[in-house]
Amino acid sequence: MKSGDPKNIAVYPGSFDPVTSGHIDIIQRAKPFFYSLHILVAENPSKSTLFSIDERVEMIKSATSAEKNIIVSSFSGLVVDYARKVNAKAIVRGLRAVSDFDYEFQMATMNRRLAPDIETIFFTTRGKFFYISSSMIKSIAQNGGDISSFVPESIEQKIINKFK
Ligand code: COA
């Protein structure tokens, strides 16, 4: 399927608490392969988040406002159910270190079991974002450190303000 085919749809799910420059890098690199990319802020009941679902959606929207055919939404069920709802053929995930592999492999395998017609596609994280995580960024911001090279400029102040 060509990237220009409107049926070529993918979903990039995550907690995005908050979205980081590493996530944005994955979005920018995945986007050319698809006609549209849904960024899905998924509820993960096992994670307590700093930002509400609406705040996380808004932060991604502001960080991706220059990108075409990016749809940002939230969902509280299974990722594969959302993917089916929007007719997505693929789930995009970013892989950082080897430590991500077990979890990602399990999740991709389970998602394939639940929805054999939807493929998970991995993008390896660019070296400079290899060690970034949302938790680390929150910890740096909470302690007054500089997060400017780890998060999109449009959301930096929002993160800092959260700890004021
Ligand atoms: N750059 C920077 N950080 C990255 C990154 C990248 N490219 N890729 C992942 N991360 C970090 C995130 O910042 C996050 O850090 P944190 O743990 O400090 O918050 C961590 O990696 C993992 O986050 P994320 O990619 O958002 O995954 P998750 O484990 O929070 O959520 C879901 C994964 C939402 C996709 C999963 O829980 C899910 O599918 N939920 C819906 C229910 C469902 O379908 N279940 C069946 C699945 S088998």
PDB file of all heavy atoms in Angstrom, residues 12-17 20 22-23 26 42-44 47 77-80 93-94 96 103-104 106-107 110-111 114 125 129 132-136 138, ligand 1:
ATOM      1  N   TYR A  12      -0.250   5.354  16.617  1.00  0.00           N
ATOM      2  CA  TYR A  12       0.920   5.379  17.505  1.00  0.00           C
ATOM      3  C   TYR A  12       0.398   5.604  18.927  1.00  0.00           C
ATOM      4  O   TYR A  12       0.092   6.732  19.307  1.00  0.00           O
ATOM      5  CB  TYR A  12       1.876   6.488  17.062  1.00  0.00           C
ATOM      6  CG  TYR A  12       3.116   6.665  17.930  1.00  0.00           C
ATOM      7  CD1 TYR A  12       3.672   5.641  18.685  1.00  0.00           C
ATOM      8  CD2 TYR A  12       3.766   7.897  17.973  1.00  0.00           C
ATOM      9  CE1 TYR A  12       4.805   5.816  19.452  1.00  0.00           C
ATOM     10  CE2 TYR A  12       4.912   8.085  18.744  1.00  0.00           C
ATOM     11  CZ  TYR A  12       5.421   7.047  19.476  1.00  0.00           C
ATOM     12  OH  TYR A  12       6.550   7.234  20.249  1.00  0.00           O
ATOM     13  N   PRO A  13       0.255   4.525  19.722  1.00  0.00           N
ATOM     14  CA  PRO A  13      -0.300   4.682  21.069  1.00  0.00           C
ATOM     15  C   PRO A  13       0.789   4.886  22.127  1.00  0.00           C
ATOM     16  O   PRO A  13       1.935   4.473  21.946  1.00  0.00           O
ATOM     17  CB  PRO A  13      -0.981   3.328  21.301  1.00  0.00           C
ATOM     18  CG  PRO A  13      -0.124   2.352  20.556  1.00  0.00           C
ATOM     19  CD  PRO A  13       0.500   3.102  19.398  1.00  0.00           C
ATOM     20  N   GLY A  14       0.411   5.509  23.218  1.00  0.00           N
ATOM     21  CA  GLY A  14       1.347   5.668  24.328  1.00  0.00           C
ATOM     22  C   GLY A  14       0.685   6.429  25.446  1.00  0.00           C
ATOM     23  O   GLY A  14      -0.453   6.908  25.303  1.00  0.00           O
ATOM     24  N   SER A  15       1.395   6.563  26.558  1.00  0.00           N
ATOM     25  CA  SER A  15       0.859   7.347  27.675  1.00  0.00           C
ATOM     26  C   SER A  15       1.142   8.833  27.461  1.00  0.00           C
ATOM     27  O   SER A  15       0.365   9.683  27.879  1.00  0.00           O
ATOM     28  CB  SER A  15       1.492   6.908  28.994  1.00  0.00           C
ATOM     29  OG  SER A  15       1.306   5.544  29.205  1.00  0.00           O
ATOM     30  N   PHE A  16       2.298   9.132  26.874  1.00  0.00           N
ATOM     31  CA  PHE A  16       2.683  10.508  26.541  1.00  0.00           C
ATOM     32  C   PHE A  16       2.495  11.448  27.740  1.00  0.00           C
ATOM     33  O   PHE A  16       1.842  12.482  27.632  1.00  0.00           O
ATOM     34  CB  PHE A  16       1.894  11.020  25.330  1.00  0.00           C
ATOM     35  CG  PHE A  16       2.045  10.171  24.097  1.00  0.00           C
ATOM     36  CD1 PHE A  16       0.984   9.409  23.613  1.00  0.00           C
ATOM     37  CD2 PHE A  16       3.257  10.095  23.426  1.00  0.00           C
ATOM     38  CE1 PHE A  16       1.119   8.614  22.469  1.00  0.00           C
ATOM     39  CE2 PHE A  16       3.406   9.299  22.287  1.00  0.00           C
ATOM     40  CZ  PHE A  16       2.335   8.561  21.813  1.00  0.00           C
ATOM     41  N   ASP A  17       3.095  11.095  28.861  1.00  0.00           N
ATOM     42  CA  ASP A  17       2.902  11.876  30.105  1.00  0.00           C
ATOM     43  C   ASP A  17       4.215  12.508  30.566  1.00  0.00           C
ATOM     44  O   ASP A  17       4.748  12.090  31.594  1.00  0.00           O
ATOM     45  CB  ASP A  17       2.336  10.953  31.195  1.00  0.00           C
ATOM     46  CG  ASP A  17       2.029  11.718  32.479  1.00  0.00           C
ATOM     47  OD1 ASP A  17       1.429  12.805  32.389  1.00  0.00           O
ATOM     48  OD2 ASP A  17       2.408  11.245  33.567  1.00  0.00           O
ATOM     49  N   THR A  20       7.533  13.654  24.497  1.00  0.00           N
ATOM     50  CA  THR A  20       8.935  14.112  24.530  1.00  0.00           C
ATOM     51  C   THR A  20       9.438  14.319  23.098  1.00  0.00           C
ATOM     52  O   THR A  20       8.775  13.915  22.130  1.00  0.00           O
ATOM     53  CB  THR A  20       9.832  13.051  25.193  1.00  0.00           C
ATOM     54  OG1 THR A  20       9.927  11.928  24.300  1.00  0.00           O
ATOM     55  CG2 THR A  20       9.298  12.598  26.538  1.00  0.00           C
ATOM     56  N   GLY A  22      11.708  12.667  21.881  1.00  0.00           N
ATOM     57  CA  GLY A  22      11.892  11.301  21.360  1.00  0.00           C
ATOM     58  C   GLY A  22      10.629  10.798  20.676  1.00  0.00           C
ATOM     59  O   GLY A  22      10.684  10.190  19.609  1.00  0.00           O
ATOM     60  N   HIS A  23       9.471  11.065  21.290  1.00  0.00           N
ATOM     61  CA  HIS A  23       8.197  10.676  20.658  1.00  0.00           C
ATOM     62  C   HIS A  23       7.995  11.448  19.350  1.00  0.00           C
ATOM     63  O   HIS A  23       7.554  10.874  18.350  1.00  0.00           O
ATOM     64  CB  HIS A  23       7.003  10.994  21.576  1.00  0.00           C
ATOM     65  CG  HIS A  23       6.943  10.196  22.844  1.00  0.00           C
ATOM     66  ND1 HIS A  23       6.886  10.772  24.088  1.00  0.00           N
ATOM     67  CD2 HIS A  23       6.923   8.855  23.068  1.00  0.00           C
ATOM     68  CE1 HIS A  23       6.816   9.833  25.021  1.00  0.00           C
ATOM     69  NE2 HIS A  23       6.835   8.659  24.432  1.00  0.00           N
ATOM     70  N   ILE A  26       9.878   9.973  16.557  1.00  0.00           N
ATOM     71  CA  ILE A  26       9.230   8.764  16.011  1.00  0.00           C
ATOM     72  C   ILE A  26       8.065   9.180  15.095  1.00  0.00           C
ATOM     73  O   ILE A  26       7.898   8.649  13.996  1.00  0.00           O
ATOM     74  CB  ILE A  26       8.708   7.841  17.151  1.00  0.00           C
ATOM     75  CG1 ILE A  26       9.843   7.370  18.065  1.00  0.00           C
ATOM     76  CG2 ILE A  26       7.915   6.657  16.581  1.00  0.00           C
ATOM     77  CD1 ILE A  26      10.805   6.380  17.477  1.00  0.00           C
ATOM     78  N   ALA A  42      -3.442   6.688  25.240  1.00  0.00           N
ATOM     79  CA  ALA A  42      -4.205   5.565  25.784  1.00  0.00           C
ATOM     80  C   ALA A  42      -4.155   5.602  27.305  1.00  0.00           C
ATOM     81  O   ALA A  42      -3.137   5.955  27.897  1.00  0.00           O
ATOM     82  CB  ALA A  42      -3.603   4.256  25.264  1.00  0.00           C
ATOM     83  N   GLU A  43      -5.266   5.236  27.912  1.00  0.00           N
ATOM     84  CA  GLU A  43      -5.307   5.143  29.375  1.00  0.00           C
ATOM     85  C   GLU A  43      -4.574   3.888  29.776  1.00  0.00           C
ATOM     86  O   GLU A  43      -4.811   2.819  29.213  1.00  0.00           O
ATOM     87  CB  GLU A  43      -6.761   5.043  29.843  1.00  0.00           C
ATOM     88  CG  GLU A  43      -7.545   6.295  29.581  1.00  0.00           C
ATOM     89  CD  GLU A  43      -8.111   6.877  30.864  1.00  0.00           C
ATOM     90  OE1 GLU A  43      -7.438   6.755  31.900  1.00  0.00           O
ATOM     91  OE2 GLU A  43      -9.201   7.437  30.803  1.00  0.00           O
ATOM     92  N   ASN A  44      -3.643   4.026  30.700  1.00  0.00           N
ATOM     93  CA  ASN A  44      -2.949   2.857  31.229  1.00  0.00           C
ATOM     94  C   ASN A  44      -3.221   2.842  32.734  1.00  0.00           C
ATOM     95  O   ASN A  44      -2.582   3.565  33.491  1.00  0.00           O
ATOM     96  CB  ASN A  44      -1.445   2.990  30.916  1.00  0.00           C
ATOM     97  CG  ASN A  44      -0.672   1.752  31.315  1.00  0.00           C
ATOM     98  OD1 ASN A  44      -1.186   0.903  32.029  1.00  0.00           O
ATOM     99  ND2 ASN A  44       0.561   1.666  30.858  1.00  0.00           N
ATOM    100  N   LYS A  47      -0.614   2.981  35.463  1.00  0.00           N
ATOM    101  CA  LYS A  47       0.292   4.131  35.579  1.00  0.00           C
ATOM    102  C   LYS A  47      -0.474   5.314  36.125  1.00  0.00           C
ATOM    103  O   LYS A  47      -1.533   5.646  35.609  1.00  0.00           O
ATOM    104  CB  LYS A  47       0.801   4.518  34.188  1.00  0.00           C
ATOM    105  CG  LYS A  47       2.217   4.089  33.882  1.00  0.00           C
ATOM    106  CD  LYS A  47       2.671   4.676  32.561  1.00  0.00           C
ATOM    107  CE  LYS A  47       4.079   4.232  32.240  1.00  0.00           C
ATOM    108  NZ  LYS A  47       4.539   4.732  30.948  1.00  0.00           N
ATOM    109  N   GLY A  77      -9.958   2.002  25.854  1.00  0.00           N
ATOM    110  CA  GLY A  77     -10.068   0.544  25.683  1.00  0.00           C
ATOM    111  C   GLY A  77      -8.785  -0.061  25.159  1.00  0.00           C
ATOM    112  O   GLY A  77      -7.684   0.422  25.436  1.00  0.00           O
ATOM    113  N   LEU A  78      -8.940  -1.122  24.386  1.00  0.00           N
ATOM    114  CA  LEU A  78      -7.780  -1.760  23.773  1.00  0.00           C
ATOM    115  C   LEU A  78      -7.310  -0.954  22.561  1.00  0.00           C
ATOM    116  O   LEU A  78      -8.145  -0.457  21.789  1.00  0.00           O
ATOM    117  CB  LEU A  78      -8.135  -3.176  23.306  1.00  0.00           C
ATOM    118  CG  LEU A  78      -8.462  -4.211  24.382  1.00  0.00           C
ATOM    119  CD1 LEU A  78      -8.944  -5.511  23.735  1.00  0.00           C
ATOM    120  CD2 LEU A  78      -7.251  -4.465  25.262  1.00  0.00           C
ATOM    121  N   VAL A  79      -6.002  -0.906  22.379  1.00  0.00           N
ATOM    122  CA  VAL A  79      -5.459  -0.193  21.219  1.00  0.00           C
ATOM    123  C   VAL A  79      -5.972  -0.815  19.918  1.00  0.00           C
ATOM    124  O   VAL A  79      -6.317  -0.109  18.972  1.00  0.00           O
ATOM    125  CB  VAL A  79      -3.914  -0.197  21.260  1.00  0.00           C
ATOM    126  CG1 VAL A  79      -3.334   0.274  19.938  1.00  0.00           C
ATOM    127  CG2 VAL A  79      -3.423   0.698  22.396  1.00  0.00           C
ATOM    128  N   VAL A  80      -6.069  -2.157  19.888  1.00  0.00           N
ATOM    129  CA  VAL A  80      -6.528  -2.797  18.643  1.00  0.00           C
ATOM    130  C   VAL A  80      -7.986  -2.429  18.324  1.00  0.00           C
ATOM    131  O   VAL A  80      -8.359  -2.365  17.155  1.00  0.00           O
ATOM    132  CB  VAL A  80      -6.352  -4.344  18.670  1.00  0.00           C
ATOM    133  CG1 VAL A  80      -4.884  -4.726  18.631  1.00  0.00           C
ATOM    134  CG2 VAL A  80      -7.074  -4.970  19.833  1.00  0.00           C
ATOM    135  N   ARG A  93       5.364   1.681  17.156  1.00  0.00           N
ATOM    136  CA  ARG A  93       5.983   1.837  18.474  1.00  0.00           C
ATOM    137  C   ARG A  93       7.455   2.189  18.293  1.00  0.00           C
ATOM    138  O   ARG A  93       8.073   1.801  17.287  1.00  0.00           O
ATOM    139  CB  ARG A  93       5.871   0.529  19.279  1.00  0.00           C
ATOM    140  CG  ARG A  93       4.462   0.155  19.691  1.00  0.00           C
ATOM    141  CD  ARG A  93       3.903   1.004  20.804  1.00  0.00           C
ATOM    142  NE  ARG A  93       4.561   0.751  22.075  1.00  0.00           N
ATOM    143  CZ  ARG A  93       4.391   1.542  23.139  1.00  0.00           C
ATOM    144  NH1 ARG A  93       3.642   2.635  23.060  1.00  0.00           N
ATOM    145  NH2 ARG A  93       4.991   1.255  24.274  1.00  0.00           N
ATOM    146  N   GLY A  94       7.993   2.908  19.264  1.00  0.00           N
ATOM    147  CA  GLY A  94       9.417   3.238  19.235  1.00  0.00           C
ATOM    148  C   GLY A  94      10.166   2.282  20.149  1.00  0.00           C
ATOM    149  O   GLY A  94       9.673   1.926  21.212  1.00  0.00           O
ATOM    150  N   ARG A  96      13.664   1.854  22.259  1.00  0.00           N
ATOM    151  CA  ARG A  96      14.875   2.538  22.718  1.00  0.00           C
ATOM    152  C   ARG A  96      15.946   1.483  22.984  1.00  0.00           C
ATOM    153  O   ARG A  96      16.545   0.958  22.083  1.00  0.00           O
ATOM    154  CB  ARG A  96      14.576   3.385  23.955  1.00  0.00           C
ATOM    155  CG  ARG A  96      13.685   4.589  23.650  1.00  0.00           C
ATOM    156  CD  ARG A  96      13.144   5.216  24.896  1.00  0.00           C
ATOM    157  NE  ARG A  96      12.400   4.218  25.681  1.00  0.00           N
ATOM    158  CZ  ARG A  96      12.052   4.336  26.937  1.00  0.00           C
ATOM    159  NH1 ARG A  96      12.372   5.413  27.594  1.00  0.00           N
ATOM    160  NH2 ARG A  96      11.358   3.390  27.545  1.00  0.00           N
ATOM    161  N   TYR A 103       8.999  -6.161  26.793  1.00  0.00           N
ATOM    162  CA  TYR A 103       7.664  -5.595  26.947  1.00  0.00           C
ATOM    163  C   TYR A 103       7.025  -5.356  25.578  1.00  0.00           C
ATOM    164  O   TYR A 103       5.865  -5.716  25.346  1.00  0.00           O
ATOM    165  CB  TYR A 103       7.803  -4.294  27.745  1.00  0.00           C
ATOM    166  CG  TYR A 103       6.557  -3.460  27.878  1.00  0.00           C
ATOM    167  CD1 TYR A 103       5.416  -3.966  28.488  1.00  0.00           C
ATOM    168  CD2 TYR A 103       6.533  -2.134  27.435  1.00  0.00           C
ATOM    169  CE1 TYR A 103       4.279  -3.175  28.629  1.00  0.00           C
ATOM    170  CE2 TYR A 103       5.406  -1.345  27.579  1.00  0.00           C
ATOM    171  CZ  TYR A 103       4.283  -1.864  28.168  1.00  0.00           C
ATOM    172  OH  TYR A 103       3.162  -1.089  28.317  1.00  0.00           O
ATOM    173  N   GLU A 104       7.812  -4.773  24.672  1.00  0.00           N
ATOM    174  CA  GLU A 104       7.271  -4.463  23.346  1.00  0.00           C
ATOM    175  C   GLU A 104       6.944  -5.744  22.575  1.00  0.00           C
ATOM    176  O   GLU A 104       5.948  -5.803  21.851  1.00  0.00           O
ATOM    177  CB  GLU A 104       8.263  -3.603  22.549  1.00  0.00           C
ATOM    178  CG  GLU A 104       8.470  -2.214  23.120  1.00  0.00           C
ATOM    179  CD  GLU A 104       7.200  -1.359  23.105  1.00  0.00           C
ATOM    180  OE1 GLU A 104       6.305  -1.614  22.289  1.00  0.00           O
ATOM    181  OE2 GLU A 104       7.115  -0.430  23.934  1.00  0.00           O
ATOM    182  N   GLN A 106       6.128  -8.652  23.855  1.00  0.00           N
ATOM    183  CA  GLN A 106       4.902  -9.227  24.449  1.00  0.00           C
ATOM    184  C   GLN A 106       3.666  -8.493  23.956  1.00  0.00           C
ATOM    185  O   GLN A 106       2.668  -9.101  23.584  1.00  0.00           O
ATOM    186  CB  GLN A 106       4.954  -9.060  25.965  1.00  0.00           C
ATOM    187  CG  GLN A 106       5.654 -10.168  26.683  1.00  0.00           C
ATOM    188  CD  GLN A 106       5.562  -9.952  28.193  1.00  0.00           C
ATOM    189  OE1 GLN A 106       4.578  -9.428  28.715  1.00  0.00           O
ATOM    190  NE2 GLN A 106       6.602 -10.353  28.900  1.00  0.00           N
ATOM    191  N   MET A 107       3.774  -7.156  23.965  1.00  0.00           N
ATOM    192  CA  MET A 107       2.605  -6.362  23.580  1.00  0.00           C
ATOM    193  C   MET A 107       2.269  -6.592  22.097  1.00  0.00           C
ATOM    194  O   MET A 107       1.105  -6.753  21.732  1.00  0.00           O
ATOM    195  CB  MET A 107       2.892  -4.884  23.848  1.00  0.00           C
ATOM    196  CG  MET A 107       1.666  -4.069  24.039  1.00  0.00           C
ATOM    197  SD  MET A 107       1.958  -2.597  25.027  1.00  0.00           S
ATOM    198  CE  MET A 107       3.204  -1.765  24.103  1.00  0.00           C
ATOM    199  N   MET A 110       0.721 -10.038  21.686  1.00  0.00           N
ATOM    200  CA  MET A 110      -0.672 -10.076  22.171  1.00  0.00           C
ATOM    201  C   MET A 110      -1.601  -9.311  21.227  1.00  0.00           C
ATOM    202  O   MET A 110      -2.698  -9.784  20.891  1.00  0.00           O
ATOM    203  CB  MET A 110      -0.746  -9.482  23.590  1.00  0.00           C
ATOM    204  CG  MET A 110      -2.128  -9.550  24.203  1.00  0.00           C
ATOM    205  SD  MET A 110      -2.835 -11.221  24.168  1.00  0.00           S
ATOM    206  CE  MET A 110      -1.996 -11.977  25.557  1.00  0.00           C
ATOM    207  N   ASN A 111      -1.131  -8.174  20.753  1.00  0.00           N
ATOM    208  CA  ASN A 111      -1.977  -7.401  19.828  1.00  0.00           C
ATOM    209  C   ASN A 111      -2.214  -8.168  18.530  1.00  0.00           C
ATOM    210  O   ASN A 111      -3.298  -8.099  17.956  1.00  0.00           O
ATOM    211  CB  ASN A 111      -1.352  -6.024  19.555  1.00  0.00           C
ATOM    212  CG  ASN A 111      -1.626  -5.052  20.695  1.00  0.00           C
ATOM    213  OD1 ASN A 111      -2.605  -5.189  21.419  1.00  0.00           O
ATOM    214  ND2 ASN A 111      -0.759  -4.077  20.867  1.00  0.00           N
ATOM    215  N   LEU A 114      -4.860 -10.665  19.215  1.00  0.00           N
ATOM    216  CA  LEU A 114      -6.187 -10.037  19.290  1.00  0.00           C
ATOM    217  C   LEU A 114      -6.667  -9.554  17.921  1.00  0.00           C
ATOM    218  O   LEU A 114      -7.858  -9.559  17.631  1.00  0.00           O
ATOM    219  CB  LEU A 114      -6.148  -8.833  20.249  1.00  0.00           C
ATOM    220  CG  LEU A 114      -5.859  -9.123  21.724  1.00  0.00           C
ATOM    221  CD1 LEU A 114      -5.592  -7.823  22.477  1.00  0.00           C
ATOM    222  CD2 LEU A 114      -7.017  -9.875  22.368  1.00  0.00           C
ATOM    223  N   THR A 125      14.818   4.245  18.158  1.00  0.00           N
ATOM    224  CA  THR A 125      14.966   5.637  18.585  1.00  0.00           C
ATOM    225  C   THR A 125      16.320   6.186  18.155  1.00  0.00           C
ATOM    226  O   THR A 125      17.316   5.483  18.193  1.00  0.00           O
ATOM    227  CB  THR A 125      14.830   5.692  20.123  1.00  0.00           C
ATOM    228  OG1 THR A 125      13.565   5.151  20.452  1.00  0.00           O
ATOM    229  CG2 THR A 125      14.922   7.105  20.647  1.00  0.00           C
ATOM    230  N   PHE A 129      18.057  10.456  21.612  1.00  0.00           N
ATOM    231  CA  PHE A 129      16.851  10.308  22.440  1.00  0.00           C
ATOM    232  C   PHE A 129      16.786   8.946  23.136  1.00  0.00           C
ATOM    233  O   PHE A 129      15.774   8.593  23.751  1.00  0.00           O
ATOM    234  CB  PHE A 129      15.584  10.495  21.579  1.00  0.00           C
ATOM    235  CG  PHE A 129      15.521  11.815  20.889  1.00  0.00           C
ATOM    236  CD1 PHE A 129      15.308  11.900  19.519  1.00  0.00           C
ATOM    237  CD2 PHE A 129      15.663  13.002  21.602  1.00  0.00           C
ATOM    238  CE1 PHE A 129      15.245  13.118  18.876  1.00  0.00           C
ATOM    239  CE2 PHE A 129      15.605  14.230  20.966  1.00  0.00           C
ATOM    240  CZ  PHE A 129      15.403  14.288  19.595  1.00  0.00           C
ATOM    241  N   ILE A 132      16.003   9.005  26.919  1.00  0.00           N
ATOM    242  CA  ILE A 132      14.921   9.870  27.430  1.00  0.00           C
ATOM    243  C   ILE A 132      13.711   9.036  27.843  1.00  0.00           C
ATOM    244  O   ILE A 132      13.350   8.078  27.168  1.00  0.00           O
ATOM    245  CB  ILE A 132      14.453  10.860  26.339  1.00  0.00           C
ATOM    246  CG1 ILE A 132      15.562  11.812  25.960  1.00  0.00           C
ATOM    247  CG2 ILE A 132      13.247  11.639  26.785  1.00  0.00           C
ATOM    248  CD1 ILE A 132      15.105  12.860  24.945  1.00  0.00           C
ATOM    249  N   SER A 133      13.085   9.431  28.934  1.00  0.00           N
ATOM    250  CA  SER A 133      11.763   8.879  29.250  1.00  0.00           C
ATOM    251  C   SER A 133      10.936  10.008  29.860  1.00  0.00           C
ATOM    252  O   SER A 133      11.492  10.980  30.389  1.00  0.00           O
ATOM    253  CB  SER A 133      11.856   7.712  30.237  1.00  0.00           C
ATOM    254  OG  SER A 133      12.172   8.202  31.517  1.00  0.00           O
ATOM    255  N   SER A 134       9.634   9.870  29.815  1.00  0.00           N
ATOM    256  CA  SER A 134       8.763  10.906  30.374  1.00  0.00           C
ATOM    257  C   SER A 134       9.028  11.068  31.869  1.00  0.00           C
ATOM    258  O   SER A 134       9.041  12.187  32.385  1.00  0.00           O
ATOM    259  CB  SER A 134       7.294  10.542  30.127  1.00  0.00           C
ATOM    260  OG  SER A 134       7.054  10.423  28.747  1.00  0.00           O
ATOM    261  N   SER A 135       9.267   9.954  32.569  1.00  0.00           N
ATOM    262  CA  SER A 135       9.527  10.040  34.021  1.00  0.00           C
ATOM    263  C   SER A 135      10.768  10.864  34.307  1.00  0.00           C
ATOM    264  O   SER A 135      10.792  11.678  35.234  1.00  0.00           O
ATOM    265  CB  SER A 135       9.738   8.657  34.632  1.00  0.00           C
ATOM    266  OG  SER A 135       8.682   7.833  34.329  1.00  0.00           O
ATOM    267  N   MET A 136      11.824  10.635  33.522  1.00  0.00           N
ATOM    268  CA  MET A 136      13.066  11.382  33.759  1.00  0.00           C
ATOM    269  C   MET A 136      12.857  12.869  33.540  1.00  0.00           C
ATOM    270  O   MET A 136      13.366  13.693  34.293  1.00  0.00           O
ATOM    271  CB  MET A 136      14.169  10.892  32.818  1.00  0.00           C
ATOM    272  CG  MET A 136      14.827   9.637  33.296  1.00  0.00           C
ATOM    273  SD  MET A 136      16.194   9.272  32.209  1.00  0.00           S
ATOM    274  CE  MET A 136      16.664   7.688  32.867  1.00  0.00           C
ATOM    275  N   LYS A 138      10.089  14.536  33.904  1.00  0.00           N
ATOM    276  CA  LYS A 138       9.324  15.073  35.036  1.00  0.00           C
ATOM    277  C   LYS A 138      10.239  15.275  36.244  1.00  0.00           C
ATOM    278  O   LYS A 138      10.152  16.278  36.939  1.00  0.00           O
ATOM    279  CB  LYS A 138       8.162  14.133  35.386  1.00  0.00           C
ATOM    280  CG  LYS A 138       7.030  14.218  34.387  1.00  0.00           C
ATOM    281  CD  LYS A 138       5.891  13.289  34.732  1.00  0.00           C
ATOM    282  CE  LYS A 138       6.146  11.894  34.270  1.00  0.00           C
ATOM    283  NZ  LYS A 138       4.991  10.990  34.361  1.00  0.00           N
TER     284      LYS A 138
HETATM  285  N1  COA B   1      11.165   8.765  23.261  1.00  0.00           N
HETATM  286  C1  COA B   1      11.109   9.027  24.572  1.00  0.00           C
HETATM  287  N2  COA B   1      10.503   8.243  25.464  1.00  0.00           N
HETATM  288  C2  COA B   1       9.945   7.137  24.995  1.00  0.00           C
HETATM  289  C3  COA B   1       9.962   6.785  23.648  1.00  0.00           C
HETATM  290  C4  COA B   1      10.610   7.656  22.759  1.00  0.00           C
HETATM  291  N3  COA B   1      10.694   7.405  21.477  1.00  0.00           N
HETATM  292  N4  COA B   1       9.322   5.620  23.497  1.00  0.00           N
HETATM  293  C5  COA B   1       8.902   5.269  24.714  1.00  0.00           C
HETATM  294  N5  COA B   1       9.289   6.178  25.616  1.00  0.00           N
HETATM  295  C6  COA B   1       9.105   6.136  27.066  1.00  0.00           C
HETATM  296  C7  COA B   1       7.939   6.936  27.543  1.00  0.00           C
HETATM  297  O1  COA B   1       8.335   8.253  27.827  1.00  0.00           O
HETATM  298  C8  COA B   1       7.545   6.170  28.787  1.00  0.00           C
HETATM  299  O2  COA B   1       8.312   6.622  29.860  1.00  0.00           O
HETATM  300  P1  COA B   1       7.766   6.513  31.362  1.00  0.00           P
HETATM  301  O3  COA B   1       7.597   5.043  31.659  1.00  0.00           O
HETATM  302  O4  COA B   1       8.818   7.158  32.139  1.00  0.00           O
HETATM  303  O5  COA B   1       6.447   7.236  31.409  1.00  0.00           O
HETATM  304  C9  COA B   1       7.934   4.718  28.475  1.00  0.00           C
HETATM  305  O6  COA B   1       8.826   4.807  27.391  1.00  0.00           O
HETATM  306  C10 COA B   1       6.825   3.837  27.995  1.00  0.00           C
HETATM  307  O7  COA B   1       5.763   4.640  27.602  1.00  0.00           O
HETATM  308  P2  COA B   1       4.773   4.437  26.417  1.00  0.00           P
HETATM  309  O8  COA B   1       5.462   4.234  25.130  1.00  0.00           O
HETATM  310  O9  COA B   1       3.860   5.585  26.484  1.00  0.00           O
HETATM  311  O10 COA B   1       4.103   3.101  26.766  1.00  0.00           O
HETATM  312  P3  COA B   1       3.200   2.752  27.988  1.00  0.00           P
HETATM  313  O11 COA B   1       3.764   1.505  28.527  1.00  0.00           O
HETATM  314  O12 COA B   1       2.992   3.851  28.939  1.00  0.00           O
HETATM  315  O13 COA B   1       1.800   2.563  27.295  1.00  0.00           O
HETATM  316  C11 COA B   1       0.277   1.501  25.804  1.00  0.00           C
HETATM  317  C12 COA B   1       1.665   1.589  26.343  1.00  0.00           C
HETATM  318  C13 COA B   1      -0.594   2.698  26.113  1.00  0.00           C
HETATM  319  C14 COA B   1       0.445   1.417  24.326  1.00  0.00           C
HETATM  320  C15 COA B   1      -0.305   0.211  26.398  1.00  0.00           C
HETATM  321  O14 COA B   1      -0.418   0.329  27.775  1.00  0.00           O
HETATM  322  C16 COA B   1      -1.630  -0.104  25.811  1.00  0.00           C
HETATM  323  O15 COA B   1      -1.682  -0.612  24.710  1.00  0.00           O
HETATM  324  N6  COA B   1      -2.729   0.205  26.534  1.00  0.00           N
HETATM  325  C17 COA B   1      -4.076   0.037  26.064  1.00  0.00           C
HETATM  326  C18 COA B   1      -4.684  -1.277  26.509  1.00  0.00           C
HETATM  327  C19 COA B   1      -4.326  -2.369  25.556  1.00  0.00           C
HETATM  328  O16 COA B   1      -4.542  -2.306  24.370  1.00  0.00           O
HETATM  329  N7  COA B   1      -3.788  -3.428  26.135  1.00  0.00           N
HETATM  330  C20 COA B   1      -3.359  -4.589  25.397  1.00  0.00           C
HETATM  331  C21 COA B   1      -1.923  -4.442  24.997  1.00  0.00           C
HETATM  332  S1  COA B   1      -1.218  -6.032  24.983  1.00  0.00           S
END
